[in-house]
Amino acid sequence: MSNTEHPSAPPMTFAERHASQIRQVRLYAHMFRGSFSSMLGLALVIAFLFLAAFGPWIVPYPEDTLGAVHMGSRLLPPSAEHWFGTDEMGADIFSRVIVGARTSLWIGIVITGLGALVGVPLGIIAGYKGGWVRACIMRVTELFLAVPGLALALAIVASLGPGLTNCMVALAIVWWPGYVRLVEAKTLAVKEELFVESARSIGARTPWILWHHILPNCLSPIIVKMSMDMGMAILAAAGLGFIGLGAPPPAPEWGAMVSVARSYMPDWWWYSFFPGAAIFLTVLGFNLLGDGLRDILDPRSHTR
Amino acid sequence: MLSFTLRKLLTVAGTMLGIAVLTFVITNIAPGDPARLVAGPNATEDMVETIRSEYGLDRPIVEQFVIYMKDLMTGDFGTSIVSTRPVLDELLRYAPATIELVLVAMLLGIVVGVPLGMLSAVYKDGPIDHVTRILSISGVALPAFWFGILMQLYFSVELGWLPVSGRLPLVARPPDMVTGSLLIDSLISGNFKTFNSALSYIILPAIVLSFPCLASILRVNRAEMIEVLQSDYIVAARAHGISSRRIVAIYALKNALLPTLAMIGLRFGWMLGSTVLVETVFDWPGIGLYAVSSALASDFKPVIGVTLLIGFLFIIANTLVDLAYAWIDPRLRRA
């Protein structure tokens, strides 16, 4: 530490010690602010996180989110009292959509988190070790990628039985291979770098190299992918909910709400419109955010 | 090229084998007793036992696996519990509708996506570029089932232009089956009334299915075009006074199409997966709807059958894309 060498100098503040990182973050923030779509994505995600955190306390009819029945106010159109109208149980759709944000956030975090937790280590190991370890891991990965995700998830849910937890498990099972492929490719590139070779030559052990050199250099694409995947996982889970294999009613899950609402088409259009719009805006937000993050963190990668 | 093709075919066989193993694992991951699951909650102990021996569930797992693989090799996909018919027969009956839908959607995605991507690259940061950007970003985020419902509400209910759901009106007589595609079969038999009708039924589901695909084709094509348009040979072509239209539509597009082709292969599989949603919304009688209704009825064999079929179609599509790639770009044949 520099302040021990110069006892007369005042101890360095946090800002001084991390000056270069702070400059970097400032630059990122500046670039991010310059893009309208990135800021829109950030705003949508913040709104979503806010609703997920405080939803149950700010909704006008909290009891409606738990399956309360008001037969007197069935299927009312949107009004000042019920902004998004009411459903076939007389429950306030606005309240149910807002509380649904929490379910969706949970779904997104679990699927993306599990996917990354399994996929990233496997990818790093496959890329770094090479040889038969890599061959094994990549074969299995490619196998999972050979079947379209939603079809595979449907089969897994059919085997496990319907329900929100099983849906999340199924989607996590089909989600990790994407991370393996991403991280493996990145690791292959990073391990050829000089700093990895020098670390090895001064006797650093493999786990240390993986943790301190390989992982930090793979982090940007992982962050970008996780942001995108939050949206895509929510979308996929909503799809399974729509099919009828997800959360059973009256749980306030957006996909399941659209599914029930389908039988009340076309006269009661608001019933399916608002939960679907919530899914769309949430997924859009995470996609725009991920896109914006890619532009600043990982500018060389192609848009896909 | 021949050895490349043979190697590819070998990979296809290997992957198919792998998928078969994967589906067997999926069948057996469920905690609890599969026989009891099949028998239902009210079954007696005897009934469960009968089912157990009937399905071979009382045998060791390795033996079950061998039997499973042997059955698959001989085209035995098991029997549907709901319809009591062989799954293979039903797959063959439902598959043409799905393949027709996916191909029409694919065509739509290419025909609209490629020119739009081209235009927005040429007029980068212009109004067209902004519109297509919104289109391409929202395209991936739109829940297919919700988008489908909105389309039904507007075009079928509000305007009354197109039918809400199904593949043909109940009263219509389908044309003799030749290819399995209603559009082509009705044209072959010269039945234009049926053709128009079939077309009106397929438009909405095809648009909904193709939208995310269109969006990503557009994005890739735009990004590639922008890069290609900056390359030296384009500058040279411009210096030679070749017309701008010719440069963009022929010289640049050719090179930009390669990555687009890869995206098309990828999206084909994605669309096959999405048919479970789109076919549910539009009551399209394909394998997606078949898988969903079977899954809801806890009828497991058809779901596995559909998974295998979708995996198979996806591998075929990917292989075709690889071959097309190698055909266009000979450098790839060595890889």
Side-chain angles (χ1 to χ4, degrees):
Chain A
M1 284 285 130
S2 53
N3 52 348
T4 51
E5 289 163 22
H6 307 283
S8 56
M12 288 174 94
T13 61
F14 179 82
E16 279 166 346
R17 267 183 289 130
H18 295 276
S20 71
Q21 283 101 320
I22 289 174
R23 257 202 309 278
Q24 182 80 29
V25 169
R26 278 224 179 114
L27 175 67
Y28 283 161
H30 176 75
M31 285 160 67
F32 194 85
R33 261 199 304 269
S35 154
F36 171 74
S37 59
S38 308
M39 289 307 280
L40 179 66
L42 186 67
L44 284 171
V45 169
I46 289 177
F48 170 72
L49 292 178
F50 176 81
L51 293 179
F54 302 109
W57 294 285
I58 55 173
V59 294
Y61 304 92
E63 73 281 2
D64 288 9
T65 60
L66 305 167
V69 179
H70 310 286
M71 277 314 177
S73 56
R74 296 178 70 224
L75 297 164
L76 295 175
S79 63
E81 252 170 275
H82 300 283
W83 288 1
F84 293 175
T86 62
D87 65 14
E88 84 281 12
M89 297 293 179
D92 181 47
I93 294 176
F94 180 66
S95 304
R96 289 175 58 79
V97 166
I98 289 199
V99 169
R102 184 171 277 202
T103 317
S104 285
L105 177 67
W106 179 232
I107 291 170
I109 289 177
V110 168
I111 296 171
T112 318
L114 282 179
L117 217 59
V118 176
V120 171
L122 282 178
I124 287 185
I125 292 170
Y128 193 78
K129 284 272 181 196
W132 65 270
V133 177
R134 170 160 179 257
C136 279
I137 294 177
M138 294 320 284
R139 271 306 129 70
V140 175
T141 304
E142 277 156 22
L143 203 57
F144 273 86
L145 292 171
V147 185
L150 199 57
L152 194 59
L154 178 74
I156 298 173
V157 177
S159 166
L160 292 174
L164 191 58
T165 313
N166 287 348
C167 263
M168 292 198 281
V169 170
L171 285 170
I173 291 176
V174 302
W175 224 267
W176 61 267
Y179 286 90
V180 178
R181 203 166 53 171
L182 177 82
V183 174
E184 187 246 7
K186 190 81 188 160
T187 306
L188 278 179
V190 173
K191 83 167 178 186
E192 299 301 330
E193 299 272 353
L194 205 57
F195 58 82
V196 176
E197 208 180 310
S198 18
R200 222 179 353 228
S201 63
I202 59 170
R205 282 178 305 127
T206 305
W208 198 88
I209 294 177
L210 294 184
W211 183 253
H212 285 94
H213 289 304
I214 308 282
L215 184 65
N217 280 293
C218 296
L219 222 47
S220 297
I222 294 175
I223 291 173
V224 171
K225 184 168 165 59
M226 285 185 82
S227 165
M228 295 270 193
D229 278 356
M230 276 296 288
M232 296 329 275
I234 289 172
L235 189 62
L240 289 177
F242 172 77
I243 289 171
L245 294 170
E253 197 273 317
W254 292 338
M257 286 172 77
V258 178
S259 171
V260 177
R262 221 180 125 227
S263 18
Y264 296 92
M265 276 229 312
D267 298 330
W268 297 282
W269 57 269
W270 58 87
Y271 192 178
S272 56
F273 179 80
F274 291 107
I279 303 171
F280 172 56
L281 290 176
T282 306
V283 180
L284 185 67
F286 279 110
N287 274 0
L288 289 175
L289 181 69
D291 218 39
L293 286 176
R294 166 157 49 208
D295 285 346
I296 58 170
L297 294 178
D298 197 17
R300 270 167 301 176
S301 77
H302 264 286
T303 46
R304 289 215 313 153
Chain B
M1 191 74 196
L2 185 69
S3 84
F4 180 81
T5 314
L6 286 178
R7 253 181 298 153
K8 275 284 153 207
L9 286 180
L10 215 64
T11 320
V12 169
T15 316
M16 265 329 286
L17 204 70
I19 293 180
V21 176
L22 190 63
T23 50
F24 181 78
V25 174
I26 291 174
T27 326
N28 287 288
I29 49 168
D33 189 346
R36 204 171 292 277
L37 202 72
V38 171
N42 302 322
T44 62
E45 211 49 44
D46 283 353
M47 283 159 77
V48 175
E49 272 315 310
T50 319
I51 285 173
R52 203 189 308 278
S53 59
E54 197 177 316
Y55 281 70
L57 292 169
D58 49 355
R59 292 181 215 175
I61 194 95
V62 179
E63 205 183 321
Q64 283 186 45
F65 177 70
V66 172
I67 294 172
Y68 177 77
M69 295 302 275
K70 218 184 263 169
D71 284 349
L72 284 188
M73 295 290 173
T74 53
D76 181 2
F77 286 62
T79 312
S80 157
I81 298 173
V82 173
S83 69
T84 66
R85 285 159 44 104
V87 171
L88 185 65
D89 289 1
E90 304 210 311
L91 283 181
L92 291 177
R93 201 172 59 151
Y94 292 125
T98 298
I99 294 173
E100 178 174 40
L101 178 61
V102 170
L103 287 182
V104 170
M106 190 90 257
L107 197 70
L108 209 65
I110 297 170
V111 167
V112 180
V114 170
L116 272 185
M118 213 162 80
L119 275 178
S120 55
V122 173
Y123 301 105
K124 190 166 170 268
D125 295 324
I128 296 182
D129 194 24
H130 284 295
V131 171
T132 55
R133 185 175 303 155
I134 294 170
L135 200 73
S136 68
I137 293 174
S138 57
V140 186
L142 265 179
F145 52 93
W146 182 65
F147 184 42
I149 290 176
L150 293 188
M151 296 291 269
Q152 284 175 329
L153 277 176
Y154 191 68
F155 288 103
S156 309
V157 179
E158 187 77 21
L159 298 176
W161 288 356
L162 296 165
V164 177
S165 60
R167 197 179 176 203
L168 261 191
L170 287 174
V171 289
R173 222 166 54 89
D176 298 332
M177 180 146 153
V178 184
T179 58
S181 152
L182 282 183
L183 291 174
I184 297 175
D185 286 354
S186 57
L187 271 188
I188 290 175
S189 58
N191 192 342
F192 294 107
K193 207 164 148 260
T194 313
F195 176 78
N196 281 339
S197 173
L199 193 64
S200 71
Y201 274 89
I202 205 171
I203 288 177
L204 281 188
I207 288 177
V208 171
L209 192 59
S210 77
F211 206 63
C213 157
L214 188 160
S216 34
I217 288 178
L218 197 166
R219 272 181 85 141
V220 173
N221 201 241
R222 175 182 176 274
E224 287 303 319
M225 281 299 273
I226 288 174
E227 209 173 299
V228 171
L229 282 175
Q230 289 164 349
S231 56
D232 289 344
Y233 78 97
I234 295 291
V235 177
R238 280 196 207 286
H240 277 85
I242 297 169
S243 77
S244 206
R245 190 176 298 176
R246 193 177 164 80
I247 290 176
V248 172
I250 297 180
Y251 297 157
L253 185 63
K254 258 189 192 164
N255 279 302
L257 272 183
L258 268 177
T260 313
L261 192 64
M263 178 51 87
I264 288 171
L266 204 68
R267 278 289 158 183
F268 184 79
W270 189 90
M271 287 207 291
L272 281 172
S274 300
T275 54
V276 299
L277 299 175
V278 176
E279 288 182 2
T280 305
V281 173
F282 288 97
D283 279 328
W284 188 262
I287 52 172
L289 187 61
Y290 178 52
V292 169
S293 55
S294 304
L296 288 175
S298 300
D299 192 357
F300 195 61
K301 288 272 187 307
V303 181
I304 288 298
V306 171
T307 311
L308 283 167
L309 181 60
I310 286 182
F312 178 66
L313 290 173
F314 188 26
I315 294 170
I316 296 294
N318 270 332
T319 311
L320 287 179
V321 166
D322 281 352
L323 290 179
Y325 236 94
W327 181 61
I328 296 169
D329 188 347
R331 284 172 302 177
L332 293 168
R333 286 176 212 167
R334 269 176 282 132

